[in-house]
Amino acid sequence: MASLTNGHTNGHAQFFTHDGQTGNIRFADIPSAIDIPVPGADIEEAVEVNLEDLPDDPTELCTLLENEAAAKNFWLVISLAYAKQHKFELAIEILNKGLAVLARAPPKEKIGLLSLLCWLFLYKSREAPRVVPDGVLVSEARTKDFYLQAATGALNEASRVNPSFPPLFLARGILSLLRASLQPPSKTLAPGAVEQSERVETLRQALKCFDDASRVSAGRNMMAMLGKGRTLFSLGRYADALECYQEVLAKMPDLRDPDPRIGIGCCLWQLSHREEAHGAWERALEINPDSKIANILVGLYYVHDSNRFSTTESGFLPIYKKAMTVYTQRAFKLDKEYPLTCATFGGYFLARQAWATVETLARKAIELTDVNAIASDGWYLLARKEHHAGPSGFPKAIEYYNRADNARGGGDRGFLPARFGAAQAQILNNDIDGAKFRLDKIIQFTKNIDAMVLLGSLYASEVFANLAAIVREDKTKEHLKATALLEAVRLAWKDSKKNIKPDTAVLICLSRLYEAEQPEKSLACLQQVYQMSLDKLPDEEKHQDIEDEDTRNARQKEHLAPQLLNNIGCFQFQMEKFDDAREAFQTGLTACIRLGEKEEDKDTDPLITTISYNLARTYEAIGLLEEAKQVYEGLLERHADYTDARSRLAYIELRQNPTVDGPKAMATLFETDAANLDVRALYGWYLSKAKRRAANIAEDQEQRHYKHTLQHYDKHDQYSLTGMGNLYLTTAREMRRDTEQDKDKRRKTYEKAVEFYLKALQLDPRNAYAAQGIGIAIVEDKKDFTAAVQIFSKIKDTVRDASVYVNLGHVYGELKQYSRAIESYEAALAKDRASDPQILACLGRAWLLKGKHEKSQSAMKSSLDYSQRALEIAPDQIHFQFNIAFVQIQLAQLLYSLPEAQRTLVEVEAAASGLDDAIDSFGEIAKAKNPPYPRHDLEQRANMGRNTMRKQLERAVQQQTEYEETNKTKLARARELREAELKRREDERLAAAHAVRAEKERLAIERQKLLESSRVLAERRADEERKKEEAEWTVDSEGEKVKRRRKGKGGGGGKRKKKGEDDSGDENGTDGDGVGGSGRKQRRGKSTTDGSGGDGSGDEKRAPRKKRRLARKPEKKMKSSELVVDSDSEGEGAVTVGTQPTGGDTGGAFDPDALSDVEMAEADNDEEEDTAVQQRHRQKTSRRIDDDDDDDEEEGDEAADDASQSNGKGNVFADGDDPPTVNDAVGAAGDSDAAEY
């Protein structure tokens, strides 16, 4: 039987070929049949074994190999044939029997079998499960760790035989790489710390093994290079791994199993080059369409690409469908056990809620993978499945989420979706604190937007729940955290790089958080939601056919959510933008009608009722009381028990008819619904306005009403508690304080008021009215103005009422901060209290105190003005008349006390007139029925003004008249001098401005001239350069731009003579310059003969010249000098060679035969020409031509030829007029020794 089968020699390693067609397919080198020779036969005899149809029981084959004493290679080939058919257990059995047969053989005979056995165990570990499957005993389980231990045993035994056996280096690296995949990733490290986990140490050991494998193969082991790339990838050194994969691809472009393009794509993906990674994987698919890895990776690329769209957008479905049906499904058909495909397909079935399929695929991904990230995906799928199961599955879901996170390292290296899912499950499991702690950790590491939204919502929910509680706690910290988190999310929307779309839920939550303290920001959030809602309207609801923009906008608003329009209107009402609020409420009602037409099952009556009530309140604020009454009456027709509407009707009736119908309406309302706290609050307010003051607070009707409410309806009613505090505060203010007993009783009444206020604040820490009551009590009882200022300043933005600013004005006045007091009173006037005479009177008092303190006439006049305005509004109030008279008296006293230089005659006369009016006013006030002060005091003040102050002002008028007459001339002269000084300063200013303007104009003209001259100079230089370029360059026959060739002159600057040579020998080989030497400049002196030679043949054919090699003397240093003389020739044959290149053609190498017929007529003039050469190079840096012997000269010729081929034109130096810098490596081209130098 023939010794060759299928082109392979039996029993030799030559059956492992490396051609590009078969060498890239695993087990492609296994022949279809093998001949096992029979030893001892007379003729050549062999047993043929068909390796494509192997028996299921290899016992007979093993017996045959043992009986025939077959070489070890036969055991290897048959084992590999079984492995080719995926019968790895039988292949391992054959190797074990082969090792038993070769037990007594030399150890080196067994190393090949041990090496293959190790590789088979490593292969089996890839397919084995990570954990023990359910229902299998631990002792019988064949997990990854089991096969890795078996591989370790085989590898150790082989290493004992020959530790430097080359395949063992690669096996050690693979073993370490697979062992590292079973080790957990390292936990979070401190910044700057070096990772020293067991997994990292194992990977470093694998890296060393792969380096050893590559080293022993002199870099030809591509599997070692691939293993190194995989290890670097696992270490996170993606750029280094990419270089390894690229090197493999460059050396073996036909390699496709394993395919380095897969690794290149993975590295590019991790380096954020998504499209380049996709291109690498697509190329892998072109080469091998049946690559399961390339198919699933391309599928994952399209899954990632689909994330650009939300699941509801039209662009999402085509991309995701392509990822699943085209690539992932094909990869699953190629290998249903491949973990990455199972994990990816599991996500697809999770979206379809096929829970059984998800369970199966997730378990496969967990059990079969040797990549921690894929195992993490499997646990995540199981967690999502249990999460969806409801409360019964939350504990398991949290456990699986934690496993998924730990599989990727946990901490900042963990799996973010798993940690976020665990937080969601904890929230559903009522573990709010645990969820907040987990979310806080996520935000610390990643600043994840979803985590920030969820954590901010949790804090916000605590704030909202506290608002609805009867007894409220201080949730300021939670409020600040929620606001900060949601505002950070809102800020992230503006970053175009993140491509995060705004979420209306976040804006609505922020609006609720800002509602109490910052209504402007709350309204801004709602307006952003409003705009987003308009943008999302379908085309048919945008009414683009309507030309009028206002009408079109109004029609678009009708399609928005009525709740949104109602909330916007409420904030506009609160900001007193009543017209905008009315428009929002009216549009909201229309939107309710459209919503009812669109969704017939939708109950819009609650929305219509609420918005209608708000619209009526807006009518009230505007003053359209009749329209408001119509709306309220319409609401009562639909809902007769609508108490709020009846309350507002009673209030309107009280405003319109405060004497008869109003009180009746209030009484009827109270009788009808006395148990309603809002009604009781309104009735208490009515009693405070309509009651008569009682001497004893226990007999006060308002006090009895509040006390009854607290005792029988709600002891935590905040309005009643605040009202009780106000009653006690008013009573304490009016109590006598003559004796110590009276003062003590008054102090206790203040304390009682404060007790009620504190009780109200305990129920609601933001009750600004109670806080204001405490501030008033502190001022009136304790005289603690500083603490009162702090209280009033805090509540002025909450309570939008003039009383807060009035109280602030009082306190600032007591603190003698009159300017701030005036600002507070004016702010109170601006709060719809412009006609309040009490505030005007307070302003008059503040200006009076300011004028007395600063001795300011203008402040006194402002005080008088405000006092007169208060009297005009309330002419019946006699104390306002007293205020005017008092200010006039004070103004007269001030003017009398001022020196003549600080007052005028007109002002003094006006003060005298005002004094007369004040005297008359005091007399009238003293005759009034109820004067504000005792009559005797008023009459005394009038007499003082009449008898004393009037005479003082008369004298002041006389003195002021004399002063002004005396100083009239001086004043006129001073006025003229001042006017002249002002005019002089103005003239100087104008002159200086004119000088500056003239200087700027001069500089502008000079700058323009400089620019013009620079432009002319630049044009001239450009023209010179163009002409120079035209003179030096031309266009050859191929249309390329080349330098013009100059005809060389004859000269004697050729090769120097050696000792013992005659002149003829020197002439024949040294005409370097005459024919176009090796880079020297042509002589300027006139030559005795034409450079073309004696017979003129040089014009027809240029003789190539010998290329000189520029080299350094090994025993001497190079120097830059005017003349370098060879020490051997002692100056006789010295030749100076400049570094200036010639303008002619230096393209050919020197050929002595081409110059055999050229006569050098200037041989007699060598000495003169040498002198000319020396003079020409006095200012140049020269190099020495090293022509020590003929052998060196020939080597230089060869080097010049090589340089000519590589340079295109053969020029060692560049053409041009300026001497270039000579590179040593270029100067010694072709000479490796010189290049190294």
Side-chain angles (χ1 to χ4, degrees):
M1 185 174 291
S3 61
L4 292 177
T5 302
N6 296 333
H8 301 289
T9 303
N10 291 319
H12 297 290
Q14 294 178 356
F15 64 85
F16 294 102
T17 63
H18 297 283
D19 61 276
Q21 300 298 323
T22 60
N24 290 333
I25 302 175
R26 298 189 184 187
F27 305 109
D29 294 327
I30 304 302
S32 59
I34 191 172
D35 296 339
I36 302 175
V38 178
D42 296 336
I43 60 175
E44 186 179 355
E45 183 178 355
V47 178
E48 182 179 5
V49 178
N50 186 358
L51 298 181
E52 294 180 351
D53 186 16
L54 294 169
D56 294 335
D57 186 2
T59 305
E60 293 183 3
L61 283 176
C62 293
T63 304
L64 174 64
L65 293 173
E66 182 179 358
N67 293 336
E68 302 300 336
K72 64 175 182 179
N73 288 344
F74 291 100
W75 293 90
L76 292 171
V77 172
I78 294 175
S79 177
L80 286 170
Y82 274 100
K84 181 179 181 180
Q85 299 178 14
H86 294 275
K87 298 178 181 179
F88 295 101
E89 294 294 343
L90 298 179
I92 292 172
E93 180 182 350
I94 292 173
L95 291 175
N96 286 328
K97 290 183 178 180
L99 288 171
V101 171
L102 299 174
R104 296 183 179 180
K108 292 185 179 181
E109 292 294 325
K110 297 188 297 183
I111 193 168
L113 298 179
L114 290 170
S115 177
L116 180 56
L117 183 63
C118 175
W119 282 104
L120 290 177
F121 282 137
L122 292 175
Y123 192 94
K124 285 291 292 181
S125 70
R126 297 291 304 275
E127 298 181 347
R130 290 171 64 95
V131 295
V132 179
D134 295 337
V136 179
L137 296 177
V138 177
S139 59
E140 299 178 357
R142 297 293 184 266
T143 60
K144 291 183 181 295
D145 187 62
F146 171 82
Y147 285 109
L148 289 180
Q149 290 180 6
T152 303
L155 184 59
N156 290 338
E157 188 175 352
S159 298
R160 284 192 290 270
V161 176
N162 184 6
S164 60
F165 186 54
L168 298 184
F169 292 106
L170 185 61
R172 290 191 192 99
I174 298 298
L175 177 62
S176 299
L177 189 60
L178 294 176
R179 191 174 297 281
S181 67
L182 300 181
Q183 295 167 346
S186 58
K187 300 296 182 181
T188 306
L189 294 175
V194 179
E195 189 174 355
Q196 297 293 343
S197 64
E198 182 181 1
R199 176 176 176 272
V200 171
E201 291 301 325
T202 306
L203 288 173
R204 290 173 181 168
Q205 183 179 356
L207 190 62
K208 181 179 181 302
C209 294
F210 289 129
D211 286 334
D212 292 340
S214 180
R215 175 178 51 79
V216 298
S217 66
R220 294 191 296 270
N221 191 336
M222 293 299 102
M223 295 302 106
M225 188 61 67
L226 288 172
K228 180 180 179 181
R230 179 67 179 85
T231 307
L232 292 170
F233 186 91
S234 299
L235 287 170
R237 296 164 56 183
Y238 305 116
D240 296 336
L242 178 62
E243 292 180 2
C244 291
Y245 287 123
Q246 289 174 336
E247 182 177 350
V248 173
L249 184 62
K251 292 181 178 180
M252 293 187 67
D254 295 329
L255 184 62
R256 61 176 184 172
D257 187 18
D259 194 341
R261 298 167 189 84
I262 300 295
I264 290 174
C266 293
C267 294
L268 290 171
W269 185 273
Q270 292 295 336
L271 294 172
S272 300
H273 302 297
R274 313 293 190 195
E275 296 301 326
E276 290 81 356
H278 176 223
W281 294 332
E282 287 286 4
R283 176 58 180 160
L285 272 183
E286 292 177 7
I287 295 174
N288 184 11
D290 293 333
S291 172
K292 61 184 179 183
I293 304 177
N295 273 286
I296 188 59
L297 288 176
V298 175
L300 287 173
Y301 165 79
Y302 284 111
V303 170
H304 178 270
D305 189 47
S306 65
N307 293 333
R308 295 185 293 111
F309 307 95
S310 65
T311 55
T312 57
E313 293 180 353
S314 59
F316 171 79
L317 188 59
I319 301 176
Y320 187 76
K321 185 176 181 181
K322 182 178 182 180
M324 289 295 134
T325 59
V326 178
Y327 295 101
T328 307
Q329 188 174 13
R330 178 172 175 79
F332 188 74
K333 290 179 179 179
L334 292 170
D335 186 357
K336 296 182 179 181
E337 307 296 324
Y338 190 57
L340 181 57
T341 307
C342 294
T344 306
F345 238 175
Y348 169 76
F349 286 106
L350 182 70
R352 299 187 62 179
Q353 299 185 359
W355 308 119
T357 307
V358 171
E359 176 85 19
T360 302
L361 294 173
R363 291 293 178 184
K364 285 184 179 181
I366 295 170
E367 294 174 358
L368 300 179
T369 185
D370 54 6
V371 179
N372 289 319
I374 298 176
S376 174
D377 290 339
W379 289 117
Y380 181 71
L381 290 173
L382 291 178
R384 291 286 303 277
K385 172 182 172 293
E386 296 297 335
H387 194 152
H388 191 272
S392 61
F394 291 154
K396 279 190 176 181
I398 296 173
E399 177 188 354
Y400 292 153
Y401 280 133
N402 290 333
R403 288 191 177 187
D405 183 37
N406 293 330
R408 277 186 163 93
D412 60 339
R413 300 186 179 185
F415 192 29
L416 178 60
R419 282 182 283 164
F420 187 76
Q424 290 178 317
Q426 285 177 310
I427 293 172
L428 296 174
N429 207 29
N430 293 324
D431 185 10
I432 305 299
D433 292 335
K436 289 195 295 185
F437 179 79
R438 191 183 293 268
L439 290 170
D440 193 48
K441 289 295 183 182
I442 293 174
I443 294 171
Q444 287 180 10
F445 292 132
T446 63
K447 301 297 181 183
N448 180 264
I449 298 300
D450 294 329
M452 295 170 70
V453 170
L454 184 54
L455 183 58
S457 301
L458 288 178
Y459 284 123
S461 64
E462 291 185 16
V463 176
F464 301 149
N466 185 63
L467 293 175
I470 296 177
V471 179
R472 298 180 182 178
E473 300 176 0
D474 186 9
K475 295 290 183 179
T476 305
K477 292 183 178 180
E478 288 77 2
H479 189 280
L480 293 176
K481 288 181 180 179
T483 305
L485 288 168
L486 297 180
E487 278 294 348
V489 173
R490 191 179 179 188
L491 183 63
W493 296 342
K494 300 178 182 179
D495 191 350
S496 58
K497 297 180 180 179
K498 295 182 179 180
N499 194 23
I500 302 174
K501 295 184 178 180
D503 186 0
T504 56
V506 174
L507 292 170
I508 292 173
C509 189
L510 267 175
S511 177
R512 292 188 64 187
L513 290 171
Y514 285 133
E515 181 176 347
E517 296 182 353
Q518 296 173 296
E520 297 85 1
K521 289 186 176 181
S522 182
L523 178 60
C525 293
L526 292 179
Q527 287 174 339
Q528 188 174 353
V529 176
Y530 168 84
Q531 189 60 46
M532 291 168 59
S533 302
L534 282 178
D535 296 338
K536 291 181 180 179
L537 287 177
D539 294 337
E540 60 271 13
E541 295 181 357
K542 290 185 176 180
H543 302 287
Q544 298 294 342
D545 54 330
I546 300 178
E547 295 182 358
D548 184 62
E549 184 177 358
D550 295 337
T551 306
R552 183 171 64 252
N553 293 337
R555 293 290 300 276
Q556 290 177 357
K557 295 177 185 177
E558 296 173 357
H559 297 283
L560 299 180
Q563 299 91 332
L564 175 62
L565 296 170
N566 177 67
N567 292 340
I568 292 176
C570 290
F571 281 110
Q572 290 171 337
F573 178 89
Q574 186 178 359
M575 296 176 185
E576 301 180 359
K577 298 178 180 179
F578 301 120
D579 293 335
D580 295 338
R582 178 176 62 176
E583 181 183 356
F585 292 136
Q586 291 173 345
T587 307
L589 288 174
T590 307
C592 288
I593 298 173
R594 288 191 176 275
L595 181 63
E597 295 174 353
K598 185 184 299 183
E599 303 178 14
E600 296 180 357
D601 298 336
K602 182 76 173 179
D603 184 13
T604 59
D605 183 68
L607 284 173
I608 293 175
T609 302
T610 302
I611 298 175
S612 298
Y613 176 83
N614 293 336
L615 179 61
R617 292 283 287 115
T618 308
Y619 285 146
E620 280 189 69
I622 296 175
L624 303 176
L625 299 182
E626 295 300 326
E627 287 80 353
K629 290 175 64 176
Q630 291 179 4
V631 177
Y632 289 136
E633 291 170 355
L635 289 173
L636 289 175
E637 290 177 2
R638 298 172 57 186
H639 303 282
D641 57 345
Y642 198 1
T643 304
D644 291 336
R646 290 194 293 111
S647 299
R648 299 311 302 176
L649 280 174
Y651 175 75
I652 293 173
E653 192 67 31
L654 182 65
R655 289 183 59 185
Q656 292 180 334
N657 301 288
T659 56
V660 182
D661 294 338
K664 289 182 179 179
M666 294 299 297
T668 303
L669 173 66
F670 185 70
E671 292 174 1
T672 305
D673 200 354
N676 188 289
L677 293 178
D678 292 335
V679 173
R680 298 190 69 85
L682 178 61
Y683 193 70
W685 170 83
Y686 164 69
L687 291 177
S688 69
K689 300 295 182 182
K691 72 177 182 178
R692 293 182 179 179
R693 293 185 179 180
N696 188 2
I697 190 173
E699 298 175 359
D700 190 273
Q701 189 177 3
E702 183 185 2
Q703 188 266 352
R704 291 179 178 180
H705 174 76
Y706 292 143
K707 185 176 181 180
H708 189 73
T709 302
L710 293 172
Q711 288 178 345
H712 298 91
Y713 293 97
D714 186 2
K715 64 180 180 179
H716 297 119
D717 182 46
Q718 296 183 37
Y719 189 88
S720 298
L721 290 170
T722 307
M724 290 289 284
N726 292 338
L727 281 172
Y728 279 97
L729 185 67
T730 304
T731 302
R733 183 183 298 132
E734 296 175 354
M735 292 178 68
R736 298 174 62 87
R737 64 197 82 173
D738 298 336
T739 64
E740 291 296 329
Q741 185 178 0
D742 292 340
K743 293 180 180 179
D744 185 65
K745 185 177 180 179
R746 182 172 179 267
R747 179 180 56 79
K748 290 181 178 179
T749 306
Y750 273 119
E751 291 176 354
K752 189 71 174 178
V754 171
E755 287 180 6
F756 281 107
Y757 290 138
L758 290 176
K759 181 65 174 177
L761 285 173
Q762 185 179 359
L763 295 171
D764 182 10
R766 298 181 181 277
N767 190 331
Y769 295 99
Q772 182 174 220
I774 292 177
I776 296 172
I778 289 174
V779 171
E780 295 180 355
D781 184 31
K782 306 293 183 181
K783 304 299 180 182
D784 189 353
F785 302 111
T786 304
V789 167
Q790 294 177 357
I791 294 174
F792 294 140
S793 299
K794 288 181 179 179
I795 65 176
K796 69 179 181 180
D797 295 329
T798 303
V799 179
R800 296 179 176 275
D801 189 76
S803 60
V804 182
Y805 293 95
V806 172
N807 292 331
L808 266 176
H810 293 341
V811 176
Y812 282 131
E814 294 295 334
L815 292 173
K816 297 184 179 181
Q817 298 180 16
Y818 303 119
S819 298
R820 290 190 175 184
I822 292 170
E823 290 177 3
S824 299
Y825 289 136
E826 289 178 347
L829 279 180
K831 295 291 182 181
D832 197 22
R833 301 284 290 274
S835 300
D836 192 327
Q838 297 294 337
I839 300 177
L840 291 171
C842 290
L843 269 169
R845 178 176 177 273
W847 278 109
L848 176 64
L849 294 174
K850 182 180 174 67
K852 291 178 67 177
H853 183 262
E854 299 177 358
K855 295 185 179 181
S856 171
Q857 295 183 54
S858 60
M860 289 285 192
K861 291 178 180 179
S862 298
S863 174
L864 181 61
D865 179 62
Y866 279 111
S867 300
Q868 290 172 347
R869 288 172 57 186
L871 182 63
E872 289 175 1
I873 295 173
D876 297 336
Q877 300 294 328
I878 195 170
H879 56 276
F880 291 154
Q881 187 178 357
F882 173 82
N883 291 343
I884 295 174
F886 184 79
V887 173
Q888 288 172 335
I889 291 288
Q890 296 295 323
L891 182 58
Q893 290 179 348
L894 176 65
L895 284 171
Y896 175 74
S897 63
L898 291 176
E900 290 84 353
Q902 296 181 10
R903 65 188 183 187
T904 63
L905 179 62
V906 176
E907 293 172 347
V908 176
E909 290 175 348
S913 176
L915 177 62
D916 293 339
D917 295 338
I919 293 171
D920 296 338
S921 297
F922 283 138
E924 294 177 3
I925 295 171
K927 298 176 182 179
K929 184 177 181 181
N930 296 311
Y933 294 97
R935 288 187 175 87
H936 177 70
D937 294 344
L938 294 172
E939 291 174 355
Q940 260 191 345
R941 188 173 290 273
N943 292 332
M944 183 187 68
R946 187 180 300 109
N947 299 326
T948 304
M949 294 188 62
R950 180 177 290 176
K951 294 179 180 180
Q952 290 176 347
L953 284 182
E954 289 176 355
R955 288 196 298 270
V957 169
Q958 183 179 0
Q959 292 173 359
Q960 190 68 27
T961 304
E962 294 175 356
Y963 173 79
E964 292 186 1
E965 288 293 336
T966 303
N967 294 281
K968 184 176 181 181
T969 306
K970 295 181 179 179
L971 292 175
R973 178 59 181 168
R975 190 179 299 108
E976 291 176 359
L977 292 175
R978 179 172 178 78
E979 292 177 355
E981 178 66 18
L982 293 176
K983 185 175 183 303
R984 184 185 64 80
R985 292 180 182 179
E986 181 65 18
D987 293 341
E988 289 179 355
R989 187 186 64 80
L990 294 176
H994 179 73
V996 170
R997 188 164 53 253
E999 180 66 16
K1000 288 183 179 180
E1001 292 177 356
R1002 185 185 65 78
L1003 292 176
I1005 293 173
E1006 291 182 357
R1007 189 180 298 109
Q1008 186 65 28
K1009 290 180 179 179
L1010 288 174
L1011 291 175
E1012 184 66 22
S1013 62
S1014 298
R1015 185 184 62 79
V1016 172
L1017 182 60
E1019 291 178 354
R1020 185 184 305 163
R1021 289 181 178 176
D1023 187 58
E1024 292 176 356
E1025 291 291 336
R1026 182 179 53 79
K1027 292 179 179 180
K1028 184 177 180 181
E1029 185 177 357
E1030 289 177 355
E1032 293 182 355
W1033 295 82
T1034 185
V1035 179
D1036 60 7
S1037 59
E1038 297 179 358
E1040 296 183 357
K1041 195 173 182 181
V1042 296
K1043 278 199 171 184
R1044 296 181 182 274
R1045 296 184 177 182
R1046 301 177 183 175
K1047 183 180 294 186
K1049 297 181 180 180
K1055 178 180 177 182
R1056 64 177 176 82
K1057 293 190 297 181
K1058 295 183 179 179
K1059 291 183 179 181
E1061 292 183 354
D1062 55 4
D1063 292 339
S1064 61
D1066 188 34
E1067 290 177 2
N1068 293 333
T1070 60
D1071 191 13
D1073 285 340
V1075 188
S1078 58
R1080 293 191 299 265
K1081 195 172 182 180
Q1082 293 178 354
R1083 300 183 179 183
R1084 299 178 184 176
K1086 186 175 180 181
S1087 178
T1088 55
T1089 60
D1090 192 350
S1092 61
D1095 57 356
S1097 62
D1099 294 336
E1100 298 176 1
K1101 179 180 180 181
R1102 290 184 179 271
R1105 102 178 160 275
K1106 189 170 183 178
K1107 199 70 173 185
R1108 301 292 185 182
R1109 177 170 62 89
L1110 292 179
R1112 302 174 186 266
K1113 279 286 187 178
E1115 67 277 3
K1116 294 185 178 182
K1117 296 182 179 180
M1118 181 187 296
K1119 296 182 179 179
S1120 177
S1121 63
E1122 297 177 354
L1123 179 63
V1124 179
V1125 181
D1126 188 48
S1127 59
D1128 295 336
S1129 60
E1130 299 180 33
E1132 294 176 0
V1135 180
T1136 303
V1137 182
T1139 59
Q1140 179 76 13
T1142 63
D1145 185 8
T1146 60
F1150 191 88
D1151 187 2
D1153 296 334
L1155 297 177
S1156 59
D1157 57 330
V1158 179
E1159 294 182 3
M1160 305 303 294
E1162 61 196 54
D1164 296 334
N1165 300 325
D1166 283 346
E1167 185 175 355
E1168 296 177 2
E1169 293 177 2
D1170 288 344
T1171 303
V1173 173
Q1174 294 174 9
Q1175 293 175 352
R1176 178 167 51 89
H1177 290 288
R1178 290 287 182 181
Q1179 298 178 354
K1180 301 294 183 178
T1181 301
S1182 62
R1183 283 188 178 271
R1184 181 173 181 176
I1185 298 179
D1186 189 7
D1187 292 330
D1188 290 342
D1189 49 58
D1190 294 335
D1191 295 336
D1192 292 340
E1193 185 175 77
E1194 292 174 1
E1195 291 175 3
D1197 295 341
E1198 294 173 0
D1201 293 337
D1202 294 339
S1204 175
Q1205 294 174 4
S1206 62
N1207 195 12
K1209 291 186 178 182
N1211 236 345
V1212 177
F1213 304 122
D1215 292 334
D1217 293 334
D1218 298 329
T1221 301
V1222 180
N1223 189 314
D1224 295 338
V1226 176
D1231 190 341
S1232 60
D1233 295 334
E1236 291 178 357
Y1237 177 79

